[in-house]
Amino acid sequence: MSERKRRFENFALYDYQGVEAHLSRMAAKGWRLEKAGNSLWTYRQAEPAEVRYAVTYSHRVSQFDPVPTEEQEVLEDLCEAAGWSFVCDWNQMQIFASEDPNPVPLETDEALRLDVIHKTMKKHFFPANIVLLAVGALILASSVNMIVRTPLKFFGSNGRMFCSLMYLLVVLLVMYNLGTYLLWRRQSEKSIAAGGTCAPMGSGYRKAALISLIFVIFCAVGYAALEAMSKQVGYAVFYLAYLALFALLVVSVHGTKNLLKRRGVSKGKNMAVTLAVDFILTFALIGGLMFVAFRYDWFDGGKQDSYIYQNERWDTEPVSIPLTITDITGEEFDHIRRDEYTHGSILLGNRSYRERVLRESDSQRLNLEYEIREPKTQWLYDLTLKDFLTEKQDRTNVWKEEDPSGWQADSVYQRYMNGEPVNQWLLCWPGRMVQIIPDEEFSPEEMSRIGQKLRP
């Protein structure tokens, strides 16, 4: 069995009673706290014992201060004289232990304790959370505005829906954290005024924090799965790579900060070097990821093997697409170039295709473009149809409904420019609509073939 183990702990900074009770239970099981990280706490194995723990706060301590600071050294000496051994610190929380069954209390003035905790929270908790709350509220307001004004843009992107859901969770969690602390402080003030101690927190906060973490992980995995299900594997790969690099960035920045602290580097120099490492690594890692993603067309399905003929690039093995020029004409071609782009969501599928072919006998080139949208609800279907029919519409540019029987579709629209029909069609079935733009007009037989290939 390993002599050390790490546990995920999710205590609030002001929950000193919860920390003290938890560490005493761990010591009774034979595990003594050795180091408290941001979320992972390290314990070393020892003989089970009845150990008392006590927590004090130093609100002037910064995460960039070299350890230990002069104030911490004085505090440790005073506590040592009272029979308390310094264990470690966790942000502004200083943790001490004693095996004396009745040690001298480190804190005797509950009002003073509450005042120091509040100063700690105002300096190290409130600023970051208020900024996070403001940023989250702005992003949510932008999402609501998009839902109202351009709903297809919002519901047509897994990324936008996921981002909005995450920031909604962030806003709710920050509001919960702030509200929980303010309520705890008010209850503590009443308890102290009545001659008692600070109010106990209970386990509700930790349970809520754990549920929130599980929900975030579920949503994160769910987003990657949604992109894969929407046939946007490149987006899923990019997202997972981004998470991995972001985790590496966080570990590297914290490692740099802690290394400089241990070496006694001053607060100002530590902040400057840590911020520089943060900036450089962010640019290198995230910038490098963006370069690789665009360089290898992750968002367009990846690069295809190709060759050059008559100064044009053609596919060695053309990708399979729902409708090809060969499907329409029945003719085989010597050189083919196909592009596909999937950029929809789980609620609104959106796939675009383009094919260019070369008939080598007469060097004739043919082109075909079409876009398939698949709304999953009737509300989105109606919005999508309206978007198609009103896009760039004016007196000289309109869609007119035509006879759908030749296309084997439910309804068909053709675009008219200056009163004349152009070779651009919109085919509609339940749950699917296709906008198709060929080089040449279709014969009735070709229309029928297209309908057979593209209908759901």
Side-chain angles (χ1 to χ4, degrees):
M1 180 182 294
S2 174
E3 295 183 354
R4 283 180 172 78
K5 72 175 180 178
R6 291 183 176 181
R7 280 173 49 107
F8 171 78
E9 310 291 5
N10 59 341
F11 292 98
L13 180 60
Y14 56 94
D15 185 17
Y16 68 94
Q17 294 160 313
V19 171
E20 292 171 352
H22 167 73
L23 294 179
S24 292
R25 289 194 298 269
M26 291 295 291
K29 297 176 182 178
W31 293 100
R32 306 284 184 93
L33 179 67
E34 187 174 80
K35 180 182 177 182
N38 287 332
S39 298
L40 290 177
W41 290 19
T42 304
Y43 299 84
R44 59 178 173 80
Q45 194 172 30
E47 288 296 323
E50 187 175 342
V51 182
R52 303 287 188 275
Y53 284 86
V55 167
T56 64
Y57 293 86
S58 297
H59 67 273
R60 298 185 184 87
V61 173
S62 166
Q63 60 177 322
F64 295 99
D65 284 325
V67 290
T69 64
E70 184 177 346
E71 180 179 336
Q72 287 174 306
E73 288 181 334
V74 171
L75 177 63
E76 289 175 24
D77 291 340
L78 291 174
C79 293
E80 189 73 35
W84 293 91
S85 301
F86 177 72
V87 178
C88 65
D89 60 356
W90 179 47
N91 295 321
Q92 288 71 45
M93 179 186 286
Q94 316 297 310
I95 303 174
F96 295 86
S98 174
E99 296 191 26
D100 189 332
N102 296 295
V104 177
L106 287 185
E107 298 279 1
T108 57
D109 189 333
E110 288 296 311
L112 179 60
R113 183 205 296 267
L114 182 61
D115 181 63
V116 172
I117 289 176
H118 188 56
K119 288 179 179 178
T120 300
M121 298 297 286
K122 285 198 300 183
K123 185 176 181 180
H124 301 283
F125 177 79
F126 277 89
N129 279 271
I130 290 174
V131 170
L132 191 58
L133 181 62
V135 171
L138 285 174
I139 292 177
L140 286 180
S142 175
S143 297
V144 171
N145 179 64
M146 186 180 296
I147 292 173
V148 173
R149 301 186 63 181
T150 55
L152 290 180
K153 188 175 181 181
F154 180 83
F155 292 106
S157 168
N158 289 325
R160 290 191 182 95
M161 291 190 291
F162 169 76
C163 180
S164 298
L165 178 61
M166 287 294 98
Y167 274 100
L168 175 61
L169 177 62
V170 166
V171 167
L172 293 177
L173 188 57
V174 171
M175 291 175 64
Y176 175 79
N177 289 341
L178 293 173
T180 300
Y181 169 70
L182 294 175
L183 178 62
W184 174 85
R185 181 168 179 260
R186 184 177 179 181
Q187 292 173 340
S188 296
E189 288 174 336
K190 290 182 178 180
S191 175
I192 292 171
T197 64
C198 291
M201 274 196 66
S203 60
Y205 177 91
R206 294 192 294 278
K207 290 179 180 178
L210 181 59
I211 291 172
S212 298
L213 177 63
I214 293 173
F215 186 70
V216 167
I217 294 174
F218 174 79
C219 290
V221 174
Y223 170 70
L226 281 181
E227 294 291 20
M229 290 168 59
S230 301
K231 299 182 180 180
Q232 299 178 121
V233 178
Y235 285 87
V237 172
F238 177 86
Y239 170 70
L240 294 175
Y242 176 86
L243 289 183
L245 292 179
F246 184 78
L248 176 61
L249 174 64
V250 171
V251 170
S252 300
V253 169
H254 279 285
T256 300
K257 177 192 68 178
N258 294 332
L259 176 62
L260 295 177
K261 285 175 64 174
R262 290 194 297 270
R263 294 193 174 184
V265 176
S266 67
K267 175 182 175 180
K269 290 182 179 179
N270 191 332
M271 289 181 64
V273 173
T274 301
L275 288 174
V277 169
D278 191 2
F279 176 80
I280 293 171
L281 282 181
T282 298
F283 180 81
L285 296 178
I286 307 304
L289 176 62
M290 293 293 293
F291 172 80
V292 171
F294 284 106
R295 174 67 176 81
Y296 293 98
D297 292 331
W298 285 8
F299 305 130
D300 294 333
K303 283 188 175 297
Q304 304 293 325
D305 291 336
S306 59
Y307 62 94
I308 302 298
Y309 180 75
Q310 292 188 2
N311 298 320
E312 291 185 75
R313 188 174 296 277
W314 306 96
D315 295 335
T316 302
E317 295 183 7
V319 297
S320 177
I321 60 177
L323 176 71
T324 67
I325 297 176
T326 296
D327 292 331
I328 299 171
T329 64
E331 181 181 357
E332 298 292 337
F333 296 92
D334 302 301
H335 306 283
I336 301 172
R337 175 69 176 180
R338 293 174 184 163
D339 297 298
E340 59 176 339
Y341 180 44
T342 304
H343 50 101
S345 72
I346 193 67
L347 296 179
L348 180 59
N350 195 340
R351 294 169 286 149
S352 299
Y353 302 94
R354 184 171 61 248
E355 183 180 41
R356 185 176 75 255
V357 299
L358 170 66
R359 185 189 295 117
E360 195 166 5
S361 59
D362 57 6
S363 297
Q364 183 181 6
R365 290 163 173 79
L366 299 177
N367 294 279
L368 174 67
E369 294 182 34
Y370 57 100
E371 176 186 6
I372 300 176
R373 294 192 194 181
E374 296 178 311
K376 305 305 180 184
T377 69
Q378 186 61 44
W379 176 66
L380 286 174
Y381 184 94
D382 295 339
L383 284 177
T384 303
L385 180 60
K386 181 180 178 181
D387 181 64
F388 267 127
L389 299 182
T390 59
E391 183 184 14
K392 299 179 181 179
Q393 178 174 286
D394 55 36
R395 292 182 178 179
T396 62
N397 183 0
V398 298
W399 287 92
K400 293 184 180 181
E401 191 165 4
E402 305 288 345
D403 179 13
S405 59
W407 295 91
Q408 300 188 34
D410 282 26
S411 58
V412 171
Y413 301 84
Q414 185 174 14
R415 186 182 288 278
Y416 282 71
M417 299 287 291
N418 296 316
E420 296 295 327
V422 297
N423 217 21
Q424 188 171 351
W425 300 84
L426 180 62
L427 317 180
C428 302
W429 296 270
R432 175 178 292 183
M433 54 191 70
V434 180
Q435 179 179 216
I436 184 167
I437 308 173
D439 267 356
E440 301 176 349
E441 292 186 5
F442 296 124
S443 68
E445 293 78 10
E446 291 173 336
M447 291 179 180
S448 179
R449 292 175 196 153
I450 292 170
Q452 290 177 357
K453 292 291 294 186
L454 295 180
R455 67 185 180 186

